[in-house]
Amino acid sequence: VRRVQAWCVADKRTPPDENTSAYCQARARLPLATLPAAHEELGGWIERHAKETWRWCGRAVKVLDGCGLSMPDTEGNRAHWPYAGGQKPGCGFPTAQMVGLFCLATGRLVRFALDAWKAHEIPLARQLISWMEPGEIVLTDRGFCGWGFIALLQRKGVDVVMRAHQSRKLKGCRMTWSKPQRPETWTKSLWAELPAEITVRRVRFRIAVPGFRTQAVVLVTTLLDETLYPDAALAALYQRRWAVELCFRDIKTTLGLDVLRCQTPELVEKEVWLQAIGYNLVRALMLEAAWTHGVELERLSFKGTVDTLRQWTPLLAPSM
């Protein structure tokens, strides 16, 4: 509001009132269905202009991960998103669980799923399978290493590269996993559609950083061809998984989504969608700058782009 007032004064116009209630009322009237539609339209633009971006072994890679979000402690928010575990009534904040699907090449947030903090990440990830395309590779951490999730992706023609869950015993370089008993979070009909078994490959490598303890990493993948997808290439790909943590840092820290501001569940959901659109707009600007000046997209900083945009905004005001 202060910025709009400054623009009006600079343009010799009458500045609007400083009360922000009109903006809150306008946001409340904004139909929720409009925001996912705008998000998809923007994502389509990025996808059309990112055909020549980086691919791994000729295949597109998407990264899957989750994070937590907190919000104002109102009665409506508490009813929809309860306190996280260990918090006493009146001494905490409602907490939501968010699982995001990102494009590894462009950093674009393809889609996200939102639920209470108690929700497991895999049921949320299942909601995102519709935005994965056959032939793609999903890169993720051990929290998503479940038989049903892998089988569901395989059914759609999507391969996985993920860290093996610590509780799973692995023997041999290639294993056949039989179908386990149906978890409570799966419906009988969906579970019955999955195959009786899946075949996976184990890849083991070590991370040795001077001054730090050497760490052994065990991967599980459905990419069974060792000639097309050698162990060293899979190890290098998994080390790029850290990019999703940087994407969440850009959203939560640089754009301020770590602590939400809205007072009702409906407006909280709108706020998350608006932040996702804002994040992808910055990614689109970075992509356009990369191809305009002939530089690699990975050389551009998200925070640097946001800072530059904010500093140049006053000069852009007269033309807006």
Side-chain angles (χ1 to χ4, degrees):
V1 177
R2 301 294 189 192
R3 182 177 297 174
V4 173
Q5 288 178 326
W7 286 345
C8 291
V9 171
D11 201 33
K12 298 182 180 180
R13 300 182 182 182
T14 303
D17 188 87
E18 63 185 20
N19 193 326
T20 61
S21 64
Y23 299 91
C24 297
Q25 294 170 26
R27 181 169 54 184
R29 290 194 303 268
L30 181 66
L32 181 58
T34 304
L35 301 180
H39 183 268
E40 288 302 308
E41 184 71 20
L42 175 58
W45 184 93
I46 296 176
E47 188 70 20
R48 290 191 299 272
H49 291 80
K51 296 297 184 181
E52 303 301 324
T53 53
W54 173 88
R55 286 175 176 255
W56 183 79
C57 294
R59 299 177 65 174
V61 181
K62 288 178 178 174
V63 193
L64 191 67
D65 205 0
C67 71
L69 305 171
S70 63
M71 62 200 70
D73 188 18
T74 64
E75 184 176 353
N77 287 343
R78 283 196 305 271
H80 199 79
W81 291 291
Y83 287 159
Q87 294 181 343
K88 296 182 179 180
C91 298
F93 294 92
T95 305
Q97 171 91 305
M98 176 181 175
V99 172
L101 181 67
F102 293 84
C103 173
L104 184 58
T106 62
R108 171 174 71 99
L109 177 57
V110 179
R111 198 72 174 189
F112 65 87
L114 197 65
D115 206 337
W117 71 274
K118 289 184 178 181
H120 195 277
E121 290 181 331
I122 289 182
L124 291 176
R126 293 208 311 262
Q127 301 178 28
L128 306 177
I129 292 181
S130 299
W131 284 269
M132 304 174 190
E133 299 295 334
E136 291 183 338
I137 297 173
V138 170
L139 180 65
T140 187
D141 208 353
R142 58 169 54 134
F144 299 89
C145 185
W147 187 96
F149 185 58
I150 298 175
L152 200 58
L153 290 176
Q154 278 279 274
R155 190 182 69 163
K156 189 167 183 178
V158 177
D159 285 300
V160 301
V161 176
M162 58 179 61
R163 194 168 181 179
H165 196 275
Q166 63 272 17
S167 64
R168 185 176 287 277
K169 296 181 180 180
L170 305 177
K171 296 182 180 180
C173 294
R174 185 170 298 193
M175 298 157 288
T176 299
W177 290 349
S178 300
K179 190 181 210 177
Q181 292 185 347
R182 179 179 62 88
E184 295 181 356
T185 55
W186 291 75
T187 62
K188 291 182 179 180
S189 58
L190 180 58
W191 194 253
E193 294 175 4
L194 300 180
E197 59 185 27
I198 59 174
T199 302
V200 298
R201 169 184 164 200
R202 186 196 67 180
V203 176
R204 187 188 298 271
F205 67 95
R206 301 178 71 84
I207 301 176
V209 180
F212 294 84
R213 180 181 298 176
T214 300
Q215 184 179 11
V217 178
V218 180
L219 301 181
V220 170
T221 179
T222 54
L223 299 170
L224 305 180
D225 193 327
E226 298 181 7
T227 303
L228 289 177
Y229 313 105
D231 290 0
L234 288 167
L237 174 63
Y238 184 77
Q239 292 183 59
R240 292 183 62 123
R241 193 205 68 83
W242 185 252
V244 73
E245 306 292 346
L246 302 181
C247 291
F248 273 127
R249 182 193 65 181
D250 293 335
I251 294 174
K252 297 177 66 175
T253 302
T254 305
L255 297 183
L257 189 61
D258 189 20
V259 180
L260 302 172
R261 297 169 178 81
C262 291
Q263 308 291 315
T264 64
E266 182 183 6
L267 290 182
V268 164
E269 191 172 356
K270 290 181 181 180
E271 183 178 0
V272 176
W273 275 111
L274 286 167
Q275 288 280 13
I277 293 171
Y279 169 81
N280 279 346
L281 281 170
V282 177
R283 288 291 178 183
L285 178 61
M286 294 170 63
L287 182 63
E288 187 174 8
W291 84 58
T292 299
H293 298 282
V295 299
E296 294 182 5
L297 183 59
E298 291 186 347
R299 292 188 57 190
L300 302 182
S301 163
F302 184 92
K303 186 178 186 304
T305 303
V306 173
D307 290 343
T308 302
L309 185 61
R310 286 171 175 166
Q311 295 303 320
W312 281 81
T313 296
L315 296 180
L316 299 175
S319 61
M320 296 179 65

